[in-house]
Amino acid sequence: MSLSEPRHKGLPAFLTLLVAIIVGVMLVPLLVPDASHLLVGRLLSVTILLTALWAAGVRPIHLLFFVPLAVAFFVAHHMGGRQAVIVALSVRAVFFAYTTVLIVLHTLRERTVTGDTIAGAACAYALTAVTWANLYEILELLRPGSFQIPPSWLLPPSGDPSIALQYFSFITLTTVGYGDIVPLNPRAGGLCIAEAVVGQLYVAIMIARLVGLQLVQRP
């Protein structure tokens, strides 16, 4: 995997991405009353992915590779079909995981701590939750009933669980654990354990790295 330099010149790349994540992940649930309005959320999801690739330093020509995949994702959701949706979610999970790794590597390679560096660390943390949310959706499609989800969390008319599982992913990553949504089989439990462990290790390692760099910067 060849990494180019992140785009720190001009527009603060990671800060821009962090704003996109906040809008796409935290505000969309307030604006999405039912499954018929999820197109807005899916468009923002693609926007977050492309912004993440740009922030990580992927060259513009490489972004063309993701255009047909984005089209396939929307076609799968528009036409329906469980297998098509599973494929689309799998592809999206892979790309979010890929961009998260790129951002983490770039952040760890930094020699100075700036506001954009801190924003990059926050972006990678949030994108980890977004990646796992896709994995939870895939599992729920493959094994319906893997999660106990209150009916009020399912978007009408089809009972779409995406918003609920995205919320559950962030709660699991931060180990808050309200208990309103819970895993009901070992597969779901295993995914939850993996996310919680990754989240705690990430926070410990990244904070240690940033604090160490800050101490080195002191005159």
Side-chain angles (χ1 to χ4, degrees), residues 29-118:
L30 302 177
L31 307 175
V32 180
D34 53 56
S36 64
H37 295 80
L38 279 178
L39 179 60
V40 176
R42 289 165 186 158
L43 285 171
L44 284 171
S45 178
V46 173
T47 300
I48 291 171
L49 175 57
L50 294 177
T51 305
L53 290 169
W54 166 72
V58 176
R59 293 185 177 90
I61 189 64
H62 295 160
L63 298 182
L64 296 178
F65 175 70
F66 296 90
V67 173
L69 298 171
V71 172
F73 179 78
F74 285 112
V75 169
H77 276 278
H78 179 71
M79 297 180 62
R82 188 167 65 96
Q83 297 300 326
V85 175
I86 289 173
V87 171
L89 286 170
S90 300
V91 170
R92 189 171 70 170
V94 168
F95 293 144
F96 272 122
Y98 171 71
T99 53
T100 301
V101 170
L102 288 181
I103 292 172
V104 169
L105 292 177
H106 279 309
T107 304
L108 291 176
R109 284 177 10 181
E110 287 291 329
R111 292 294 179 264
T112 59
V113 178
T114 65
D116 206 41
T117 304
I118 296 173

Side-chain angles (χ1 to χ4, degrees), residues 9-205:
K9 296 181 179 180
L11 190 66
F14 291 136
L15 185 58
T16 302
L17 174 59
L18 186 59
V19 171
I21 294 173
I22 291 173
V23 172
V25 174
M26 300 180 184
L27 296 185
V28 166
L30 302 177
L31 307 175
V32 180
D34 53 56
S36 64
H37 295 80
L38 279 178
L39 179 60
V40 176
R42 289 165 186 158
L43 285 171
L44 284 171
S45 178
V46 173
T47 300
I48 291 171
L49 175 57
L50 294 177
T51 305
L53 290 169
W54 166 72
V58 176
R59 293 185 177 90
I61 189 64
H62 295 160
L63 298 182
L64 296 178
F65 175 70
F66 296 90
V67 173
L69 298 171
V71 172
F73 179 78
F74 285 112
V75 169
H77 276 278
H78 179 71
M79 297 180 62
R82 188 167 65 96
Q83 297 300 326
V85 175
I86 289 173
V87 171
L89 286 170
S90 300
V91 170
R92 189 171 70 170
V94 168
F95 293 144
F96 272 122
Y98 171 71
T99 53
T100 301
V101 170
L102 288 181
I103 292 172
V104 169
L105 292 177
H106 279 309
T107 304
L108 291 176
R109 284 177 10 181
E110 287 291 329
R111 292 294 179 264
T112 59
V113 178
T114 65
D116 206 41
T117 304
I118 296 173
C123 288
Y125 189 66
L127 287 175
T128 299
V130 173
T131 301
W132 247 272
N134 283 272
L135 298 180
Y136 293 143
E137 286 188 60
I138 294 169
L139 179 60
E140 183 64 22
L141 285 170
L142 290 173
R143 297 287 187 273
S146 292
F147 298 90
Q148 178 179 295
I149 304 174
S152 58
W153 275 98
L154 301 175
L155 299 180
S158 61
D160 190 297
S162 57
I163 296 296
L165 292 175
Q166 182 170 271
Y167 155 81
F168 175 71
S169 181
F170 275 89
I171 292 301
T172 302
L173 184 69
T174 56
T175 65
V176 173
Y178 289 126
D180 45 358
I181 300 174
V182 296
L184 294 179
N185 61 47
R187 297 180 183 88
L191 279 178
C192 294
I193 291 172
E195 183 177 19
V197 170
V198 168
Q200 294 306 298
L201 288 176
Y202 176 85
V203 170
I205 294 171

